[in-house]
């Protein structure tokens, strides 16, 4: 299975990203970013609203990896008076200390009610000028995607949404729209059944599958790897994070874990549909 996902604009991106939201919100992430890069992550996911783009830039420089070997995603949320998606991106580029980002996303449609189509035309300018190699959205539902697609000369390459087994069923309408337009589904919160919603019906299925994978592999497999593998086999881009180097290596090692069977994939989906 490829370590890259192809985008509808001809670019490709690494299948897993190190995220800097949630636990890193408005914190200095320079050391976690450096640690993630030094342990093998090349895809870094940040956002203006996280308040840590400058420290992401410091971590990148401290790691010393060439810019061309990294894939950087950022997002903009609420625009200030007189600000556009392009001017917001220029500010992010200065904070990150780079000349371009690989992906630039509209963080949430709720910040641009009635203005989404104009915002998207501004996003297309960012791509045409080379400030962003690819453009996309985040937290968009079917209606918001349809609004953008109605005027898009360049369709969104990615839609990053909260996604895990307990949300899989409810996410099907937007995932089907993604498939129709070759939009990559990017996920955050993919490990929520283990860390935020433990004790649910997915737990037993994950334990059962983990045991089978360990027997097949002849080496340890974690429950987190089972869920990450489930997302990966569904063609989903995984955004996750950790403060531990060993967990970083574990997440990346998921690519080497044997595939789940069709029956195991369906079992996680079925158990996920029992709780929302």
């Amino acid at each position: 299975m490829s370590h890259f996902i192809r985008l509808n604009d001809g670019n490709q991106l690494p299948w897993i990203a190190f995220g800097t939201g949630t636990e890193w919100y408005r914190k200095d992430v320079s050391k976690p970013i450096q640690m993630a890069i030094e342990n093998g992550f090349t895809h870094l996911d940040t956002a203006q609203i996280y308040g840590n783009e400058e420290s992401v830039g410091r971590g990148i420089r401290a790691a010393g990896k060439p810019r061309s070997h990294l894939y950087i995603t950022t997002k903009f949320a609420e625009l200030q008076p007189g600000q556009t998606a392009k001017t917001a991106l220029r500010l992010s580029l200065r904070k990150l200390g780079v000349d371009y980002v690989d992906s630039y996303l509209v963080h949430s449609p709720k910040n641009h009610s009635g203005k989404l189509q104009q915002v998207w035309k501004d996003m297309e300018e960012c791509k045409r000028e080379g400030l962003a190699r690819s453009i996309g959205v985040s937290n968009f539902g079917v209606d918001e995607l349809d609004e953008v697609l109605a005027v898009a000369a360049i369709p969104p390459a990615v839609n990053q949404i909260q996604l895990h087994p307990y949300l899989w069923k409810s996410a099907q309408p937007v995932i089907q729209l993604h498939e129709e337009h070759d939009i990559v589904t990017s996920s955050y919160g993919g490990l929520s059944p283990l860390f935020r919603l433990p004790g649910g019906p997915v737990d037993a299925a994950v334990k059962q599958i983990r045991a089978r994978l360990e027997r097949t592999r002849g080496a340890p497999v974690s429950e987190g790897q089972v869920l990450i593998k489930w997302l990966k086999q569904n063609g989903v881009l995984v955004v996750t994070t950790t403060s531990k180097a060993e967990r970083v290596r574990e997440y990346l090692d998921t690519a080497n874990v044997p595939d789940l069977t069709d029956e195991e994939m369906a079992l996680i989906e079925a158990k996920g549909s029992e709780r929302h």
Side-chain angles (χ1 to χ4, degrees):
M1 185 176 288
S2 174
H3 294 346
F4 292 89
I5 297 174
R6 185 191 61 81
L7 299 176
N8 58 17
D9 60 8
N11 294 322
Q12 61 179 14
L13 77 177
W15 71 276
I16 189 167
F18 185 85
T20 62
T22 319
E23 68 175 287
W24 305 119
Y25 189 75
R26 301 206 176 279
K27 294 180 181 177
D28 186 329
V29 293
S30 55
K31 290 193 182 304
I33 284 287
Q34 182 180 354
M35 178 271 293
I37 294 171
E38 289 175 347
N39 282 277
F41 264 94
T42 57
H43 187 171
L44 311 169
D45 182 282
T46 188
Q48 293 171 3
I49 202 169
Y50 299 163
N52 54 26
E53 287 176 309
E54 289 178 333
S55 63
V56 169
R58 289 196 299 273
I60 289 170
R61 291 188 292 277
K65 201 172 188 72
R67 171 67 183 93
S68 60
H69 292 190
L70 297 173
Y71 192 102
I72 301 172
T73 294
T74 196
K75 321 172 195 76
F76 79 94
E78 195 168 359
L79 293 171
Q80 301 305 311
Q83 194 176 42
T84 66
K86 190 195 300 185
T87 59
L89 177 53
R90 290 190 187 279
L91 181 59
S92 286
L93 294 177
R94 284 200 297 274
K95 289 181 176 180
L96 289 163
V98 296
D99 297 327
Y100 69 93
V101 291
D102 297 277
S103 282
Y104 186 41
L105 312 183
V106 184
H107 205 152
S108 173
K110 68 182 181 183
N111 295 308
H112 313 288
S113 181
K115 302 176 182 176
L116 274 181
Q117 293 186 336
Q118 181 55 52
V119 164
W120 189 252
K121 301 315 283 185
D122 293 341
M123 292 288 284
E124 291 179 340
E125 282 301 306
C126 293
K127 178 171 170 60
R128 289 191 185 101
E129 292 187 19
L131 301 175
R133 298 280 173 89
S134 296
I135 51 176
V137 297
S138 180
N139 299 303
F140 274 49
V142 170
D143 290 346
E144 294 93 356
L145 272 176
D146 279 338
E147 188 175 344
V148 164
L149 289 166
V151 299
I154 305 170
V158 172
N159 184 17
Q160 186 179 120
I161 59 174
Q162 186 178 12
L163 189 63
H164 52 73
Y166 295 132
L167 295 178
W168 185 251
K169 185 176 180 180
S170 63
Q172 286 312 295
V174 74
I175 288 174
Q176 288 168 11
L177 187 59
H178 292 172
E179 291 173 354
E180 290 172 19
H181 294 275
D182 202 18
I183 298 169
V184 167
T185 303
S186 174
S187 67
Y188 64 87
L191 300 181
S192 293
L194 301 179
F195 300 120
R196 295 174 180 267
L197 303 164
V202 165
D203 289 18
V206 168
K207 285 180 170 64
Q208 172 188 323
I209 295 166
R210 182 192 65 77
R212 197 279 299 172
L213 290 171
E214 281 195 342
R215 290 194 301 271
T216 301
R217 188 184 192 192
V221 174
S222 73
E223 293 178 5
Q225 286 178 318
V226 174
L227 287 182
I228 291 174
K229 194 75 176 183
W230 177 78
L231 288 165
K232 187 176 192 293
Q233 285 181 231
N234 274 308
V236 174
L237 166 62
V238 178
V239 180
T240 190
T241 196
T242 180
S243 60
K244 300 179 176 67
E246 61 270 22
R247 191 63 62 80
V248 161
R249 293 190 290 270
E250 172 193 312
Y251 291 160
L252 293 170
D253 179 56
T254 304
N256 302 313
V257 171
D259 281 355
L260 278 63
T261 64
D262 291 345
E263 292 75 17
E264 289 168 339
M265 295 288 290
L267 177 62
I268 291 176
E269 182 179 332
K271 291 299 180 182
S273 70
E274 293 177 12
R275 173 177 173 177
H276 174 55

